[in-house]
Amino acid sequence: MDLQYGYPKSLMGWVEDNRTKLQPPICNAEVYPDGNYIINMVGGPNSRADFHDNPTEEIFYQIKGNAFLNIWDRGRFDRIDIKEGEIFLLPAHVIHSPQRPEPGLCLLVEAVRPQGAHDSLKWYCAKCATMVWRAEKQLESLVHDLPAISRMFYALSDEERRCSSCGTVHPGSDFAAWHKQLLSSEAKV
């Protein structure tokens, strides 16, 4: 029998064979790169300061370790915890930033984007929740496109990363500094 994607495989065996691909900042690799679904394995730990606006739903199955999603909603930050063994269906256009503070694994399933349905990455001021910068793209590869957009943001000058509302400079790729700002933010729910 000729099966387009092959026979069943050991997911954990795939992880061991591909662990070097699960690197920051996004920490993901495609399990099946050419199907009708985007099926990724995401490793941890990682920390990010970007927020993803996906035009389709996302399924998170937290196989190992704990994770959480920082959520930006109507000018405020909130948080959804995803514990080991839990599954979560994130609706389309919920603006989120996956955080994996400990070693772990998450199976992430998304729909291939229809033509014209663009993903965007956004960076917000941690102090006042104002959007500092955004970029959008017709997603061709989750593994390659999102990190490329992140690198564009990190290359911006301090002035280009300055919040237009409160004047705070977004720390760019210094994720720890952004999260420290968020801890003292009045824009948290």
Side-chain angles (χ1 to χ4, degrees):
M1 179 171 21
D2 185 22
L3 298 173
Q4 182 177 356
Y5 306 112
Y7 286 90
K9 61 176 117 185
S10 164
L11 186 58
M12 298 315 286
W14 182 94
V15 167
E16 289 310 312
D17 292 345
N18 292 276
R19 192 164 294 279
T20 59
K21 295 178 183 177
L22 305 177
Q23 300 297 317
I26 311 296
C27 293
N28 65 338
E30 296 170 312
V31 178
Y32 292 100
D34 56 354
N36 291 322
Y37 295 94
I38 300 169
I39 302 175
N40 282 334
M41 184 60 72
V42 186
N46 81 331
S47 183
R48 299 165 54 177
D50 64 281
F51 285 76
H52 183 205
D53 183 353
N54 184 342
T56 68
E57 298 171 335
E58 295 184 38
I59 300 168
F60 294 82
Y61 172 47
Q62 192 65 31
I63 297 169
K64 189 175 198 173
N66 298 306
F68 62 92
L69 303 175
N70 280 330
I71 304 292
W72 184 92
D73 181 44
R74 294 170 285 180
R76 312 245 337 137
F77 296 109
D78 206 344
R79 175 176 159 154
I80 297 172
D81 290 310
I82 308 173
K83 296 180 179 145
E84 185 172 312
E86 291 184 336
I87 189 165
F88 177 63
L89 179 59
L90 182 73
H93 294 294
V94 172
I95 301 169
H96 62 286
S97 181
Q99 306 295 315
R100 295 175 176 85
E102 57 191 69
L105 290 170
C106 179
L107 183 66
L108 178 64
V109 180
E110 305 181 27
V112 171
R113 309 319 191 247
Q115 194 61 35
H118 293 173
D119 283 66
S120 68
L121 283 184
K122 303 173 183 188
W123 284 261
Y124 292 94
C125 174
K127 290 195 174 183
C128 73
T130 298
M131 186 169 44
V132 173
W133 194 80
R134 81 184 289 275
E136 71 175 44
K137 182 179 188 335
Q138 177 73 51
L139 190 72
E140 296 169 25
S141 167
L142 188 64
V143 171
H144 298 104
D145 293 348
L146 299 185
I149 293 171
S150 294
R151 286 190 296 273
M152 289 169 43
F153 178 71
Y154 304 148
L156 297 175
S157 69
D158 285 357
E159 268 318 299
E160 292 170 303
R161 288 184 282 106
R162 184 175 302 281
C163 176
S164 62
S165 292
C166 73
T168 300
V169 174
H170 190 292
S173 62
D174 186 348
F175 311 127
W178 188 88
H179 286 277
K180 186 176 179 181
Q181 290 174 351
L182 182 63
L183 286 174
S184 62
S185 174
E186 293 184 13
K188 286 190 327 187
V189 171

